[in-house]
Amino acid sequence: MTDNVYSTICPGCNFGCGLYIRENGALEVDFRKSSPANSGKLCRFGMNLPKLFAPTKSMVDGKETTIEEAAKEAAKRIAASKGSVVFLSLGNTTSEELLAFQKIAESALYTGAVAALPEDTYQTLNIGIPYSEIEAAKHIVLFIDPYEQYPLIVRRLLSARNKGAKISAVWWKDLPLADENIRPGDVSKLALTKDSLIIADYNPLSDTEQVKNVLALAKNAGTRITFLKPFANSTGGYLMAKGIKQKSISQLVEDINKGTIKILFCLESDPSVLIPSETLSKLTYLIIQTGQTLSTKANIVIAHEPLYKKKGTLINNEGRAQALGGTGTSGLDALGIIAGAKFDFDSLHESVKKAIGITVVDEFMMPKYERLEYGALQASAKPMDAKTALVSVYNPFMWSGLADDNDFVELNLNTVKALKLLKGGSIRIKSNGSTIEKKFKVAPVQDNILLTSNKFGIEKGIITPVEVSR
Ligand code: SF4
């Protein structure tokens, strides 16, 4: 039997790493050296893709069914609840599917934090800069932990440093590749010039005041800024939804809690990462259309093909259009059942190219995007009032709900001594009425901060005030 080999893009973040997925009974990952974003290299998440693509089944109220029947049942329930249905996509599927999805979204499309920010910042937030500009920068300022969050950027940073770039990090922990480490509370010590380039992160749980703060820093110093994002086609999601009314996740949570939203339809997005379980339990129906394993129980699961089998276009952080090597359109067909009219891939594809401003999808060609100016921003980032806090370092494993082996927190030696923690022992962390016990690792972290790259179930957003003891 010959293997099926698909040339595809990793859905772990929107860095846009290319790879091959080989089907030979089990799934295997092969390196694609020609990929312009990553030259074949992958991070741990990319190497773990076979686990993410474990097959899922279409279900209605716990019973297995076909994708068509699941989509028909979803269509029926959506039609019966007009006015109280919300459609959520974070951009983890093809631009063609996202365009179709928009057409069925009856009122609002929820895609993340963007709605809470001024509209003139959207282009800057969503379209990054070519990675070649990062490698050529003279001064790079990191508002991320590249090793944990967007590992493939580390190569670009090291290349810039080898060419003489200075790297500053504004982070909770000293980063080994930085020449200068500044704590987030001391950001006023950061010296920016027109030659600096800020790399930040922008995700659905981002603190909007913090994002405004970083945008304002860049604006005031005339510094270039780029935001990395966690979902493979976040940039495509923005380009396809330009001009469409959108709402933030916090608005969505409020609407479900108020009872004005009864059905949530998620396209290739795991709501449990974003929405508290007590809020999700208030929904009459949760419908998830996906091609990968789920960590959330949904009333209806519409199981389309995994991303690597799809036909369609992804747009990476640089704005580079990348074609998937599959032929599948079952996701698009299921959306057609819900819309009550079949979607034609070719005409959607033409619209996608038009939205990008290209005539052909070629990953080696960089489309031209305007770098639009944004106005002055008033940011009022709150100083951290908690004595001790757990800081979640969001990374591909956390967004996808895929288990990782990092079941520990990082803290510094002062915290270890103050709490009299024992070597090889654990730390008790109390928050929101729950207490958990975790292993710890000593690292050059800010005093009274615990860093985690895992989800423990006690978090309240990125920064969670906690009480700690031995
Ligand atoms: S998770 Fe991001 S950095 Fe890692 S392989 Fe996938 S696209 Fe690349």
Side-chain angles (χ1 to χ4, degrees):
M1 195 179 82
T2 39
D3 298 352
N4 288 327
V5 181
Y6 299 84
S7 172
T8 192
I9 308 295
C10 171
C13 72
N14 89 331
F15 203 80
C17 296
L19 71 149
Y20 295 111
I21 293 275
R22 178 186 296 273
E23 282 182 340
N24 65 351
L27 291 188
E28 281 173 13
V29 165
D30 281 348
F31 303 104
R32 180 153 70 86
K33 291 208 169 83
S34 62
S35 173
N38 60 319
S39 309
K41 305 272 191 303
L42 294 170
C43 74
R44 262 179 340 113
F45 186 84
M47 295 303 297
N48 270 285
L49 285 182
K51 276 195 220 158
L52 183 79
F53 290 135
T56 183
K57 290 184 174 122
S58 291
M59 312 280 272
V60 173
D61 299 329
K63 284 203 195 86
E64 199 179 323
T65 185
T66 61
I67 180 169
E68 290 80 12
E69 287 308 315
K72 276 184 197 162
E73 188 57 33
K76 220 160 60 185
R77 295 186 192 185
I78 288 169
S81 288
K82 272 211 169 304
S84 57
V85 187
V86 143
F87 297 81
L88 169 74
S89 169
L90 300 167
N92 236 359
T93 191
T94 66
S95 303
E96 288 78 3
E97 263 184 29
L98 290 173
L99 263 186
F101 192 54
Q102 259 178 50
K103 292 182 202 282
I104 62 170
E106 59 176 29
S107 56
L109 191 71
Y110 289 77
T111 56
V114 75
L117 289 154
E119 217 167 317
D120 61 0
T121 63
Y122 290 5
Q123 186 93 349
T124 304
L125 287 167
N126 286 291
I127 301 180
I129 62 172
Y131 302 147
S132 54
E133 276 192 44
I134 294 173
E135 290 189 62
K138 293 194 176 129
H139 177 213
I140 298 173
V141 182
L142 299 172
F143 280 81
I144 55 167
D145 178 343
Y147 301 99
E148 286 294 331
Q149 296 179 284
Y150 301 97
L152 260 296
I153 203 168
V154 172
R155 295 174 61 238
R156 309 285 182 160
L157 297 172
L158 291 173
S159 160
R161 207 169 71 161
N162 288 342
K163 289 181 202 151
K166 175 185 170 185
I167 300 185
S168 305
V170 183
W171 193 245
W172 310 96
K173 174 172 93 167
D174 292 351
L175 300 180
L177 55 58
D179 303 291
E180 172 186 43
N181 282 287
I182 297 171
R183 299 295 175 229
D186 295 331
V187 70
S188 56
K189 293 182 183 159
L190 180 67
L192 293 169
T193 71
K194 287 191 170 41
D195 283 334
S196 307
L197 191 165
I198 294 177
I199 302 177
D201 160 75
Y202 166 59
N203 67 63
L205 297 178
S206 287
D207 174 341
T208 45
E209 291 308 312
Q210 189 54 41
V211 175
K212 278 192 212 166
N213 217 15
V214 181
L215 280 163
L217 280 176
K219 168 95 188 158
N220 296 340
T223 294
R224 283 171 298 164
I225 184 164
T226 185
F227 289 85
L228 292 166
K229 290 169 284 295
F231 307 107
N233 201 19
S234 316
T235 301
Y238 158 70
L239 285 168
M240 299 311 126
K242 241 178 171 175
I244 304 278
K245 188 178 156 212
Q246 296 188 37
K247 290 193 175 184
S248 66
I249 296 298
S250 55
Q251 286 168 307
L252 172 58
V253 170
E254 211 182 299
D255 289 348
I256 299 173
N257 284 336
K258 273 194 311 212
T260 50
I261 296 304
K262 305 241 183 298
I263 298 184
L264 175 63
F265 186 133
C266 302
L267 178 62
E268 207 65 282
S269 305
D270 185 346
S272 70
V273 190
L274 306 164
I275 301 171
S277 53
E278 62 269 23
T279 300
L280 283 177
S281 68
K282 290 183 184 153
L283 289 165
T284 312
Y285 300 122
L286 174 62
I287 303 169
I288 303 185
Q289 180 169 327
T290 183
Q292 58 197 47
T293 46
L294 285 176
S295 59
T296 314
K297 246 185 155 24
N299 303 88
I300 299 182
V301 179
I302 303 169
H304 60 208
E305 66 277 89
L307 189 75
Y308 70 87
K309 284 193 177 182
K310 282 186 192 294
K311 174 155 111 170
T313 315
L314 299 186
I315 305 163
N316 83 343
N317 189 268
E318 302 167 281
R320 195 186 289 277
Q322 299 167 294
L324 293 174
T327 53
T329 57
S330 71
L332 207 55
D333 296 342
L335 291 173
I337 293 174
I338 290 153
K342 197 170 165 48
F343 287 111
D344 173 51
F345 177 86
D346 291 339
S347 60
L348 287 170
H349 185 60
E350 286 310 307
S351 305
V352 167
K353 287 190 288 183
K354 210 166 145 203
I356 307 169
I358 54 175
T359 52
V360 63
V361 173
D362 177 350
E363 63 180 354
F364 297 102
M365 252 173 41
M366 188 63 78
K368 295 243 174 304
Y369 298 96
E370 276 183 275
R371 293 209 62 78
L372 297 178
E373 277 291 313
Y374 55 91
L377 289 150
Q378 277 299 322
S380 51
K382 274 192 282 163
M384 206 177 70
D385 45 13
K387 190 177 167 294
T388 309
L390 177 72
V391 175
S392 299
V393 184
Y394 279 91
N395 60 73
F397 286 94
M398 282 161 94
W399 290 116
S400 66
L402 201 64
D404 196 14
D405 55 6
N406 52 4
D407 201 23
F408 57 84
V409 290
E410 288 187 309
L411 40 78
N412 73 11
L413 207 51
N414 291 341
T415 312
V416 171
K417 283 182 184 160
L419 297 175
K420 298 192 172 68
L421 298 179
L422 300 173
K423 198 176 170 198
S426 54
I427 179 169
R428 287 162 75 87
I429 310 167
K430 196 172 160 196
S431 173
N432 302 325
S434 312
T435 304
I436 54 169
E437 210 165 308
K438 289 288 155 192
K439 295 264 174 225
F440 64 89
K441 280 193 180 173
V442 177
V445 175
Q446 179 176 326
D447 278 344
N448 300 319
I449 291 291
L450 314 181
L451 282 185
T452 174
S453 305
N454 204 339
K455 212 174 164 225
F456 297 147
I458 58 163
E459 298 82 359
K460 261 198 176 304
I462 291 172
I463 299 176
T464 307
V466 290
E467 288 167 34
V468 285
S469 60
R470 202 168 102 170

